[in-house]
Amino acid sequence: MTDLSFASATELTGLIRSRNLSPTELVRHTLDRIATVDTTVNSVVALAPERALAEAATLERRLARGEDPGPLAGLPILVKDLEDAEGLPTARGTRAYQDRPPAARDSVHVARLRAAGALVIGKTNTPPLGAAVHTANEAFGTTRNPWNPERTPGGSSGGSAAAVAAGIVALATAGDGGGSTRIPAALCGIVGLKPSRGRIPHGPCRMPVWPQHACLTGMARTVQDTALHLDVAAGHHPTDPNSLPAPVLSYRDALGTPLPALRIGVLRTLGIATPRPEILGALDHAAGLLRDQGHDVRDDESPLPGAHEFPAPFQLRQQVLAYARLLDVHDDFARRRDAFEPWFADLLDASRSLTPADLAAYWAHRARLDHWAADLFDRYDLLLMPTTPTTAWPAEGPDVAAAVRKRVLPISYTAVFNDTGHPAISVPAGTAPDGLPLAVQLIAPHHRDELALTAAHTIETALGTPRPPAFT
């Protein structure tokens, strides 16, 4: 018997296409799972059960006629609540927007998933406008890690990560602006890909996504499902002029192609982090696996530009991104500041102090990061490093001042590749002594998403796919 809670998206859609599982049965199972498991996890903030069941029934009739509904046929999915899904409100993780009417249309990303046969069943929790590395807000409360409810699933895609890790759905949408997919994936023991900048189009948007640091993506338990999502979601769309053309080959098909011998650089600290011993242990284990497969794996401690000024470059980056969020909500914020969570309103207010000189310094730093990465990829075909310096922090969020002091800032290893635009993927790499998941991150050259996915698949094949004990 197939465990519907932890079957992969690939397995579930295969069962549906072969008519060994009905879409209605799977939707009802998902709704039951939400009713039981999510009372602890608190990952789902809105539901559309009637529409999902109606669409499931329609899809069953199409299957009975011999039609192919698409690669995601009958798969229930959840959408991160920063994206529009027709018929569901987009609260964007803040009480200021929790009473919004349902969205009139899907984002381009969600529309592509629906067109491929997916059934949107609800929305997942996120911090206000994705502005934190833990998932909590005054509209929907705190989302908790399925491995330990006292810990966070991370942020900002924490709701999606927790739902996937807890076996609620096999696939959810996510986004990554500084680690917002890879960090929750690492903390929850699942796979999180930040694709190449522009791989999945944004839109339609009120204003351009600025400063081009955020990527839309999916959250899944396996690399194969991650590749399946990317096959469906990738490709240019005219509403996003910065989106990339559709890939020529399937990412899922690429997973079956053996890797050539690669030059792999292992970076442990980037000159700014002091990862915990268990994190380094997982990194060494993954490096050993890749070395045993015939790759040339070498240590490299090329520090990030500005590492000697840490944490100033990170603080400037966060100020710029806060200012971008302020521009996004400017009219609402000017009229209804008190409707936003106080800490988030203070963050937006503080960003007003940004000057043209600050912006120039930020973009100059971005240019130095580009040169740093280009130099690394002259020497290596792939980079390997931790995803986070620690395992999951408390559900209420990390002590940021202490994290800076101890050099364990959560975004230490992730944010740089949002700035450079490289594809990067977090893959599970064992379990720490405290029972929490461990992970490593692989970074590929520009536009080589298939290389990141295939290398991650080799690690996943060797180490397996973990499940949180309390939810199996």
Side-chain angles (χ1 to χ4, degrees):
M1 295 292 291
T2 301
D3 181 350
L4 296 183
S5 299
F6 286 95
S8 69
T10 302
E11 292 168 332
L12 293 171
T13 54
L15 288 169
I16 287 171
R17 278 193 296 272
S18 66
R19 301 184 69 185
N20 288 305
L21 174 67
S22 79
T24 298
E25 180 184 1
L26 184 55
V27 169
R28 291 195 186 282
H29 172 85
T30 304
L31 292 170
D32 288 344
R33 188 79 176 168
I34 291 169
T36 55
V37 168
D38 210 46
T39 55
T40 299
V41 176
N42 191 36
S43 63
V44 180
V45 299
L47 280 172
E50 294 83 5
R51 176 171 177 171
L53 287 166
E55 290 177 349
T58 299
L59 195 142
E60 285 171 21
R61 291 192 290 271
R62 293 179 61 195
L63 286 164
R65 293 194 296 266
E67 297 180 24
D68 181 1
L72 299 180
L75 184 73
I77 67 168
L78 290 164
V79 173
K80 181 179 177 180
D81 199 27
L82 296 185
E83 265 192 282
D84 284 346
E86 182 188 355
L88 287 160
T90 306
R92 304 184 76 184
T94 173
R95 66 181 186 182
Y97 295 144
Q98 71 180 108
D99 295 325
R100 275 183 164 182
R105 59 181 172 177
D106 292 327
S107 69
V108 171
H109 181 200
V110 173
R112 287 180 174 179
L113 301 180
R114 282 201 209 261
L119 306 176
V120 175
I121 202 166
K123 305 290 287 288
T124 60
N125 205 17
T126 184
L129 273 68
V133 291
H134 68 293
T135 296
N137 55 58
E138 293 184 10
F140 306 111
T142 300
T143 301
R144 298 181 179 276
N145 193 315
W147 289 79
N148 181 343
E150 298 302 313
R151 302 296 182 95
T152 183
S156 63
S157 306
S160 290
V164 170
I168 293 173
V169 289
L171 180 67
T173 75
D176 196 312
S180 287
T181 295
R182 288 162 291 159
I183 290 170
L187 303 192
C188 291
I190 61 174
V191 177
L193 170 71
K194 185 202 77 66
S196 293
R197 180 185 292 141
R199 181 65 69 201
I200 298 174
H202 290 265
C205 298
R206 187 182 66 83
M207 61 184 292
V209 178
W210 179 87
Q212 292 295 311
H213 63 287
C215 298
L216 296 173
T217 187
M219 195 77 84
R221 286 188 292 273
T222 70
V223 176
Q224 187 175 44
D225 285 357
T226 304
L228 168 64
H229 168 269
L230 196 59
D231 276 342
V232 169
H236 179 76
H237 192 276
T239 61
D240 183 356
N242 296 307
S243 57
L244 299 173
V248 176
L249 300 176
S250 161
Y251 292 108
R252 273 193 300 168
D253 290 348
L255 300 183
T257 303
L259 287 170
L262 300 173
R263 303 166 300 162
I264 301 176
V266 181
L267 289 87
R268 286 177 164 76
T269 73
L270 299 184
I272 60 169
T274 305
R276 300 280 170 78
E278 61 269 27
I279 301 293
L280 290 177
L283 184 69
D284 289 336
H285 189 196
L289 289 172
L290 293 169
R291 190 176 289 112
D292 291 344
Q293 292 170 7
H295 302 295
D296 180 8
V297 182
R298 302 182 182 184
D299 288 349
D300 191 304
E301 279 309 320
S302 300
L304 285 176
H308 63 288
E309 300 171 334
F310 176 81
F314 279 87
Q315 292 169 334
L316 178 59
R317 181 186 193 275
Q318 297 307 93
Q319 187 180 17
V320 169
L321 300 191
Y323 185 66
R325 290 185 177 96
L326 177 64
L327 294 178
D328 188 21
V329 301
H330 181 270
D331 293 343
D332 292 323
F333 189 68
R335 289 185 287 105
R336 305 166 57 233
R337 184 194 190 281
D338 291 344
F340 292 87
E341 285 76 357
W343 70 266
F344 183 61
D346 289 345
L347 177 72
L348 297 181
D349 262 340
S351 72
R352 296 179 191 272
S353 65
L354 200 69
T355 67
D358 292 329
L359 288 171
Y362 170 70
W363 286 107
H365 179 65
R366 285 268 294 252
R368 289 191 291 272
L369 292 176
D370 287 336
H371 289 298
W372 170 82
D375 180 63
L376 279 170
F377 283 111
D378 274 345
R379 303 197 303 274
Y380 304 110
D381 304 304
L382 197 68
L383 305 179
L384 173 68
M385 63 187 69
T387 309
T388 58
T390 69
T391 54
W393 38 93
E396 296 72 23
D399 180 335
V400 175
V404 169
R405 187 173 65 253
K406 297 176 181 178
R407 291 166 51 102
V408 290
L409 199 66
I411 63 172
S412 294
Y413 296 102
T414 54
V416 54
F417 300 109
N418 293 88
D419 289 337
T420 65
H422 291 83
I425 187 168
S426 179
V427 62
T431 306
D434 61 4
L436 293 170
L438 297 165
V440 294
Q441 182 183 200
L442 294 155
I443 302 92
H446 283 301
H447 305 156
R448 293 295 310 277
D449 304 68
E450 84 291 344
L451 179 58
L453 285 161
T454 305
H457 187 55
T458 66
I459 292 176
E460 178 186 72
T461 300
L463 297 181
T465 304
R467 294 186 189 183
F471 290 89
T472 54

